[in-house]
Structure formats: C-alpha cells, structure tokens
C-alpha cells in the first residue's frame, strides 16, 4: 500500500509539473505569429522580396504579429505553375507573383480575392492614396468588372537600347525608317565594313514575348486592338504594316540573326551586354544588368523611346507584375497588410526600389530623390509611360487572344503564310472568341 | 496428408489470386481513375479558366472543335512523322550496330559502354544543352556547322527544325534498341545459320529469312517501347522549340499543353487527350493481337 | 578492321554531347560564350560550387534519391504479386492486363492539373509521396507487363514441386518464383530508376521548394537574371552520375529482364 501511494504521488507530481510548465510557456511567450507564404519568381524580384521580408519580419512583424516567408521557383513554366496552384484552390501560398494578363481570368474563376473592401478599410490600409499615387495604368491592369484584384508591384516597359560609341546620331532611331536604315548599316551582309554582324535582335520566341514586342510596333504604327463595340482591328492597315515591317526585318532584310525565333529576354540581354549588336528593343529590367556588364568594356549603353512611324506617337508598352491574394488563403488580412506595407508604406515601398531597383508603379517611389539617384533612368521611364503608355486589354479572354496572335504570327515569321494572311486569320479568330464571350449583344 | 494439403492449397488459389492483385488495383485506382474520370468530365464541358468551377455542359462540342482545328491535324502529322521516322531509323541503326557488335571482332566489346551513355541523360539536360549549343551568337554547335558550311540555324527553319529534334531523339534512343537487339542476336541458335551456309545461302538471304524472323519477339519489344515513349515526347520539344518555328514541331503533347495551359481551355485539352487515347488503344489492340498471335505460333 | 572503326565512330558520336557538357562545366565563366570555342584552359570548379551555393542542391539530390528508391521498391513489392497472379492464373483476363498496360501510354501532360488537384486534396503537395504515387502509376504497368511475361515462361512445375512438399501457394511464390524472376526484377528496377530520376513534368507541377528533385533543380537555373549555363552544365553532370553508374553496372540484367526469356542466354 505504501508502494501504491508513492507511485501515485510521483504521478501527481509529474503531471502537476508538466501542467505548470505548459501554462508557464503559454503565458510567457508572446502572441502567436501568423506566418504567410508568398511565392515569387527567381531573379531580381525574389531577391528583393527576400530582403524586404527580412526587414519586415525584424522591424514591423513584431508589431503586427506577421511573419513573412518568401519561396521562389524558377522561370521555366512559372506562370503555368502559379495558375495551376491557384486553380487547385491550394491554401499553400497566400500570395503569388503574377502577370497582370492573368488577373482577369483568375478573378472570373473566383480564385483570387477582390481587394476593394480591404483598400477601403482604414485599419488595413492606413495610407494616403494621393500621396502613394499608384500609376493609373497599373491599377487598370488589375481591374476586373470594376474591382481591383491585385497589388501592382513591378511595372515594365520596353526601351530602345543603343551603343553610344557606334550610334552618333541617335535621333535617326526615332522613326522606323531610320531604324531600318541603321540596322542595314550595321549588318555585314549589307555593309561589309560594319563592326557588328547584325544590326539588331528581337525577341522572336513563340510564347509570351514575341507578341508583346509586336504590340510596340503595332501601336507606334497607329494601331489599336479594338474599335467601337469591341470590334477587333488586327487586320487594320496599321496591323498589317507593323507585322510586315517586323517580318521583313527577319526574312527580307536579314538584319537580325536568323535564329531570333529562339530568342527571348535573356538572349537579347546577352546580345546587348556583349556588344554584339549596336541597338535593340529590350525590357527596362535589363538596364541595371547591361550597365553592370558593359562597365569598362564597351561604351555605356544608352536608352531612348522606341521608334514610331512618321506622324504617329511613339508607344510605351506597359504591363504589370502583380501580387493577387489567394481566395483560399487562410490569412487574407495579414497578407493584405504585408502587401500594403510593401507597396504603399513610405518606408516599405522604398525598400525594394532602393535595394534592388524594382520599379514600383507609385509616384511615391518614382519621384523619391534617393531612388532616382540610384536609378536615373526611371525619370525617363516614368515620363515615357505617362505620356505614351499603352497596355493590353484587361479582359479574361486576353490569354487566348494572345495565343492566337502568337500562333499565326509565328507562322508568318517562319515564312509559311504572308503577314496579310496572318492578320486576317487572327482577326477572324479573335472575332470568334469575342462572340463566344458574349461581347456582341 | 501432404498430398491433401497440396490440393487444399491449389483450391485456395481461387481466392489468393484476387488478393495478389489488390495492391496494384488500389494504387492504380486511387491515383489514375480520379484524374482520368475528371478528364472525361472536363472534355464534355466548356471549361476555361474563367468558368473553371461552374462550366456549362457542352457534350461533344469540344471534340467537334478539335476535329475542325487544322492545328490539331498538324500536330497529328508532326507526331506521326516524329514517331515513325525516329523508331524506323533507330531500328535500322540499332540493328546495324548490334550486328557489327555480334561479329565479336576482337576489342569491340568495350564499345558497349560508351554506346549506352546517351540513355542516362535526362530530357531537361539534353534540351537545355542543345539549346545553348545551337544558339547562333554563342553556341559551339552552330559555330562548327558554320565552319562546315552547313546551315547554322537548325531550330529556326521550318525545314530543319523537326529533323533536328528527330536527330536528337535518334542519338539518345538508338542505344536502347542496340542493346536489346544485340542481346537477341547473341542468343540466336547457331544451327539454322550453319544449315543455311551449307546450303549456300547469301548474306542477304540469311538476314531476311533466318535472322529477322528469329528476332521477331525481341524486335517487337523494342518497337513497342519506342513507339509508346516517343508518342509522349514533350520536355525536349518544349525546351528547344515550344512547337515552333511556326507550328512545324508542335507535337500532339505540345498542342494539348497549349490548349490546356496557355489558352486555359482545359476542356479542349482533355478532349484531345481522349481522342489520342482512343487512337492509341485501337492501335495497341491490333499490335498486341499481332504479338500474341506470333507468340502462339511458336 | 572496318567493324572496329564503325563502332569506334559510333561510340564517339554517342559520347560527344556528354563530354561537351562536362567540358562546359569546368570552363571558366569568362570563356563560356567565346567563339571559336576555347579548347585549352585551366579547369575550374566554380560552376559546381555555384550549383550548391545558389540553391540547396544537396536537398534536391536527396529528394530525388528518396522518391526514386521508394517508388522502385513499392513498384516491385506491388507488381510482383499482381504479375504472378496474372501470369499463373490469368486473373482479370486479357482485358485487365491490357488496361494496366494502357495506362503507361497516356501522355502525362493532360493529367497535370487533375493530378495537382488530387494531390492537393490528399494534402500531399510538395511532398515525396505526391511524386512517388505518380511515378507508381507509370512504373507499375510496365513492371506488371514485364514480370507477367517472364513468369508465364517459367514452368509451372517449379512451384508445384514445392507445393507437393506441403508449401502454400504464397510461400512457393516467395521462395521459389521470386528468386527465379530476379533478372526481370532488376531490369524493372533499372528502368524505373531511370524513368523516375529523369522525370520532369510532374516533378515541376507537383513540387515547389520542399520536395524539388534534381531535374527541376537543373531547370531552376533558368533564372530571372540569366540562364546560368555553367551551373546548368555542372548540375547536369551531377544529375547524370547515378543513372550512368546504375546502367553500367546492371546492363546485363536490363537486357535479360526486358527480353523476357525469349533470349535464354547470358551476355
């Protein structure tokens, strides 16, 4: 009986001690932190986000109780993976870095969260909208049926990059005629004395980039995607002219390497950075890398507006990389708070811009003197976009239209159909798509 | 008593045999049936990303749209060309190399090792490296082709893109056919050949009427493996050309991917896959019947 | 002799790409894009270092090893009984056998999204099991087919002799048939290993960062900054080693198992 009693008391002691231990830790530890997961694409944005998240967790997260974890996945098939993840209604990632083209589609499917009510809440969004000053074109790109569905994060456009040492009168590059002349001048097959083998390069790879580059030509030849009542204008004279011009660069004048149809962002960057071409149209994001690569090797590369047809305005292509919030996320408010800090907080939003030269589309960032000191090209970029900015149409059907353009234009570049035929076919198909979408009552 | 146990066990066979296949059935059902059934459902609805969760029923509409899509037929043509040409050339080359090896010339045995190496590389590595090599501005393959006055931009020309992809496939998979056929040749009985030699049969005669018929089962294995796998080619084409230039290398898998992932029309993607599946099933039924007929004759 | 020369030539053609990749992986970064290609240089390990420092590549290797090994073992464990049943008793008849094989013929691409959703609902995303299960669906059909044919060619007397001595069917299957089928089992193991190790599509779709495999790791060097060709070459070389070793060592079994007893001799 004594033994029973002593065992009993040991058990009570152990249980009691454990209970006190548990209660003690629960009381002593700070309020549980919510962890949110954000998915980003490898590269400049991921590195910038990681640093921003680090800073946030140390300095701001302690007050808001939010811990941010950034995960990165590679460029190969990136958009497909993100779209699949959101459509799969997986709560694994609370937000994901996504191109604005897909926002309409995903909003329509109901897998990303409508943000208007969060923006209206002073507690969740305590920033002065006027002071922050989001570029209107960037908000337009995340707009679906009048509501905002994502945070614009990185705005991109395309510049015309050129080598200052080879091009002594860049003014000639302001028109497409001048562009062609100079390209011939710097192509060995036209001008054996040329220092470079080809005059320029382009992003010809079938997929995302090729149509987007064409839009620059299209708008600067005076074209518009849709006329009144959503009538597609892909067979307009401007469209045909723009496509013919671009196809001729490849097939008729051969001023670009014949394998441009395998080139995208990386290959064009490399061609410019190694000085293999005197000028090319390329995304703004390449600017810091090109400056770094060419320092001390060839004369610095300068930028200017993309060419335009005589009598037509130049066109600044704009598209926005955004952060939508997963509709199936379990921590929507916390995610919103973090993203609001990242994009609109006077301190937070400057973080990625200053550290990684990521152009956040707000006046607060673009006109900040510290930021401009590191990125002088942004003043030019902002004005360019404000004056001549064009964006793709933010309708859910856009990815299908984009693929249609890509399909038929690739055939034209491959020489299998004429540019005229390609434009006609695209127009017919797009009209069909719009009809199916119920745009024609 | 042991005898009785024997018959008792044989009797139990009736139950045991079903038990034995349960694990396989479970796994396959659990992992395959749902996606498969879901795909069938998808193919009967007008499913795009926009209305992903509440798509309207569309019946055979997707199938009709596919039939009327000239790009679908293009991808069928591309895939067929790819499969038939690569399998055909791999068989011929593999057989040629296997016969050479079979002559047992002194010192040639060691070549088996290097010849197997291409099989070890994964499509992603092969794809990325050839993409680099064929790049005109900095790729060595393109450079050397230029030195030899051969066309440099193999992946950018409609006439050379598909052949280039096929050449890469042949490079990688001929070793597979070679290894199998070599084993087959090595194991052939000597007698028919000796008899033929005595009868004065020519080399060609021996090849056509003795070697090949005896090799039939082994050839069948090689053929069915290669056809099944090359039909599914996706990664290499995606990395190197994404179906371009134009649509000259758009295989059926790339076409499906374009419908489902890029256009977001998952319904069309599913419908295409089902069509392809029906075709493969019909083809395979014929082929397997042919195989087992051959076997039964033995 | 001519035979020797032709085989030598064929071997060189077979080896050139892999030698080139290795050559790139030890070439200094500054010489990578230079044409004409520089052939003499001081080899560097910078790319291999980069592979392991840029990403946790060691983790990817571990993930690949685990996924490949487990899926191979489970395939064998599950397929052998089924193949035995189908080979000896014709369970399910031709239809079942054909259905099982036909699964391998399906192009995986269309199952990407449904498979994602399925794994999502099982809660297996970005885990080893997602990939293991998917790879099982491709290797089981093949394993069953190969093993079934092999077993069909084994005389029934083998087990019946043991059963006459009082063994149960199951015991006979394990003790007698299993060892006899060993070459085919090894062949299946090799094929499955190569397939799972080299698989890309599902590894890409079903994993993000935790269960990422070696192949996806190689593709991740296609970054937002640049395609890091040096690292890709190095990572490619690393990825090739296990498969290469495996194939070399077990070449004979591969052939024996595949040719399913139609070829009775050993090479």
């Amino acid at each position: 009986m004594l033994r029973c009693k002593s065992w009993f008391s040991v058990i009570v002691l152990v249980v009691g001690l454990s209970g006190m231990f548990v209660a003690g830790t629960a009381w002593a530890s700070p309020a549980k932190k919510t962890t949110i997961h954000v998915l980003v694409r490898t590269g400049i944005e991921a590195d910038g986000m990681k640093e921003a998240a680090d800073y946030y967790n140390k300095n701001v997260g302690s007050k808001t109780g939010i811990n941010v974890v950034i995960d990165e996945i590679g460029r190969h098939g990136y958009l497909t993976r993100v779209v699949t993840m959101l459509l799969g209604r997986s709560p694994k990632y609370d937000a994901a870095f996504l191109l604005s083209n897909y926002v309409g589609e995903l909003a329509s499917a109901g897998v990303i969260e409508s943000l208007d009510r969060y923006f209206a809440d002073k507690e969740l969004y305590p920033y002065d909208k006027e002071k922050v000053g989001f570029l209107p074109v960037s908000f337009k790109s995340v707009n679906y049926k009048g509501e905002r569905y994502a945070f614009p994060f990185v705005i991109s456009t395309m510049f015309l990059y050129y080598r200052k040492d080879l091009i002594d009168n860049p003014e000639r590059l302001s028109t497409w005629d001048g562009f062609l002349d100079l390209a011939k001048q710097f192509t060995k097959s036209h001008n054996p004395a040329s220092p470079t083998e080809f005059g320029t390069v382009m992003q010809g790879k079938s997929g995302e980039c090729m149509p987007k580059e064409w839009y620059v030509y299209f708008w600067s030849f005076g074209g518009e995607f849709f006329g009144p009542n959503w009538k597609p204008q892909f067979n307009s004279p401007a469209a045909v002219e723009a496509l013919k011009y671009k196809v001729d660069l490849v097939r008729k004048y051969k001023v670009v390497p014949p394998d441009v149809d395998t080139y995208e962002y990386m290959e064009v960057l490399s061609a410019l950075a190694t000085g293999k071409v005197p000028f090319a149209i390329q995304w703004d994001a390449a600017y810091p890398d090109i400056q770094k690569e060419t320092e001390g090797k060839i004369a610095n590369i300068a930028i200017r507006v993309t060419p335009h047809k005589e009598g037509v305005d130049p066109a600044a292509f704009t598209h926005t990389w955004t952060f939508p919030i997963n509709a199936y996320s379990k921590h929507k408010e916390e995610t919103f708070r973090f993203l609001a800090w990242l994009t609109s907080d006077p301190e937070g939003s400057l973080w990625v811009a200053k550290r990684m030269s990521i152009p956040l589309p707000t006046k607060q960032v673009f006109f900040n003197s510290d930021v401009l000191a590191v990125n002088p090209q942004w003043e030019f970029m902002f004005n360019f976009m404000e004056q001549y900015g064009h964006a793709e149409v933010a309708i859910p059907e856009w990815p299908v239209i984009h693929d249609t353009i890509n399909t038929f234009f690739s055939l034209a570049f491959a020489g299998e159909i004429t540019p005229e035929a390609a434009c006609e076919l695209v127009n017919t198909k797009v009209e069909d798509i719009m009809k199916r979408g119920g745009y024609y009552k | 008593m042991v005898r009785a146990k024997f018959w008792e066990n044989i009797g139990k066979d009736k139950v045991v045999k079903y038990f034995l296949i349960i694990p396989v059935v479970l796994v396959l059902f659990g992992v395959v049936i749902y996606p498969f059934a879901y795909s069938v459902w998808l193919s009967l609805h007008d499913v795009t990303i926009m209305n992903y969760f509440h798509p309207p029923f569309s019946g055979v509409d997707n199938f009709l749209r596919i039939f009327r899509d000239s790009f679908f037929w293009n991808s069928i043509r591309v895939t067929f060309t790819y499969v038939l040409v690569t399998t055909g050339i791999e068989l011929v080359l593999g057989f040629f190399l296997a016969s050479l090896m079979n002559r047992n010339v002194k010192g040639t045995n060691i070549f088996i090792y290097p010849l197997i190496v291409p099989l070890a590389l994964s499509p992603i590595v092969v794809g990325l490296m050839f993409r680099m090599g064929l790049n005109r501005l900095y790729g060595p393959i393109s450079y050397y082709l230029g030195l030899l006055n051969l066309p440099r931009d193999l992946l950018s020309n409609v006439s050379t893109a598909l052949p280039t992809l096929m050449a890469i496939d042949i490079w990688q998979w001929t070793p597979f056919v070679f290894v199998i056929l070599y084993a087959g040749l090595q194991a052939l009985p000597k007698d028919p050949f000796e008899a033929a030699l005595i009868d004065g049969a020519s080399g060609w005669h021996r090849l056509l009427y003795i070697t090949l018929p005896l090799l039939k089962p082994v050839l069948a294995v090689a053929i069915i493996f290669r056809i099944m796998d090359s039909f599914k080619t996706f990664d290499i084409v995606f990395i190197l050309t994404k179906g371009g230039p134009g649509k000259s290398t758009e295989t059926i898998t790339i076409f499906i991917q374009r419908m489902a992932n890029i256009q977001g029309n998952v319904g069309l993607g599913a419908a295409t896959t089902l069509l392809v599946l029906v075709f493969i099933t019909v083809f395979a039924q014929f082929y397997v019947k042919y195989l087992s007929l051959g076997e039964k004759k033995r | 002799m001519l035979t020797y020369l032709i085989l030598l030539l064929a071997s060189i053609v077979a080896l050139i790409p892999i030698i080139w990749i290795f050559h790139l992986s030890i070439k200094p970064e500054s010489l990578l894009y230079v044409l004409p290609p520089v052939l003499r240089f001081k080899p560097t390990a910078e790319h291999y270092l980069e592979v392991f420092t840029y990403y946790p590549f060691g983790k990817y290797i571990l993930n690949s090893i685990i996924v490949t090994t487990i899926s191979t073992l489970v395939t064998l464990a599950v397929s052998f009984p089924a193949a035995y049943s189908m080979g000896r008793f014709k369970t399910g008849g031709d239809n079942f056998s054909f259905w099982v094989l036909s699964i391998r013929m399906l192009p995986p691409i269309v199952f990407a999204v449904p498979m994602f959703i399925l794994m999502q609902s099982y809660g297996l995303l970005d885990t080893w099991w997602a990939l293991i299960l998917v790879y099982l669906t491709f290797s089981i059909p093949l394993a069953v087919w190969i093993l079934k044919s092999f077993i069909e060619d084994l005389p029934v007397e083998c087990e019946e002799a043991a059963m006459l001595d009082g063994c149960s069917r199951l015991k006979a299957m394990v003790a007698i048939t299993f060892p006899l089928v060993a070459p085919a089992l090894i062949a299946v193991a090799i094929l499955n290993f190569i397939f799972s190790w080299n698989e890309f599509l599902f590894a890409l779709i079903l994993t993000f960062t935790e269960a990422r495999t070696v192949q996806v790791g190689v593709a991740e060097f296609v970054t937002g900054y640049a395609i890091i060709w040096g690292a890709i070459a190095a990572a490619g070389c690393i990825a090739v080693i296990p498969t290469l070793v495996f194939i070399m060592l077990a070449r004979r079994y591969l052939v024996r198992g595949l040719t399913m007893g139609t070829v009775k001799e050993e090479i």
Side-chain angles (χ1 to χ4, degrees), chain B residues 167-178:
Chain B
I168 296 178
D169 188 283
I170 292 171
W171 167 79
Q172 188 162 28
W173 294 100
T174 303
F176 179 76
V177 179
F178 158 73

Side-chain angles (χ1 to χ4, degrees), chain B residues 125-138:
Chain B
V125 174
V126 173
L128 284 174
M129 294 323 296
F130 273 100
R131 178 167 158 182
M132 194 255 188
L134 288 166
N135 181 293
R136 196 205 181 79
L137 291 179
Y138 50 72

Side-chain angles (χ1 to χ4, degrees), chain A residues 33-53:
Chain A
K33 274 197 165 189
T34 328
T35 304
I36 63 173
H37 293 264
V38 180
L39 189 63
V40 192
R41 189 176 71 166
T42 320
I44 262 187
E45 301 90 6
D47 292 341
M49 286 296 289
K50 281 197 177 131
E51 292 212 18

Side-chain angles (χ1 to χ4, degrees), chain A residues 39 42-44 47 71-76 81 84-85 88-93 265-266 269 276 289 356, chain C residues 33 54-55 113 116-117 120 125-126 200 203-205 207-209 212 216 219-220 222-227:
Chain A
L39 189 63
T42 320
I44 262 187
D47 292 341
D71 274 338
E72 52 176 286
I73 61 179
R75 217 178 150 98
H76 186 95
R81 289 166 88 181
T84 309
M85 190 265 295
R89 294 191 271 200
S90 162
K92 196 165 162 53
Y93 289 103
Y265 175 78
M266 249 78 80
L269 195 162
K276 294 213 163 149
D289 279 331
M356 304 300 289
Chain C
Y33 306 110
Y54 200 91
Y55 287 121
V113 175
F116 183 92
I117 297 179
Q120 216 292 97
L125 274 186
D126 211 11
F200 184 69
L204 184 74
I205 299 271
T207 68
F208 291 102
T209 54
R212 190 179 289 175
V216 180
E220 299 286 338
V222 179
T223 69
Y225 291 112
I227 303 185

Side-chain angles (χ1 to χ4, degrees), chain B residues 280-291:
Chain B
I280 293 182
T281 311
V282 168
F283 164 80
Q285 286 271 21
F286 276 118
Y287 192 78
V288 168
K289 288 245 159 64
Y290 168 76
L291 246 189

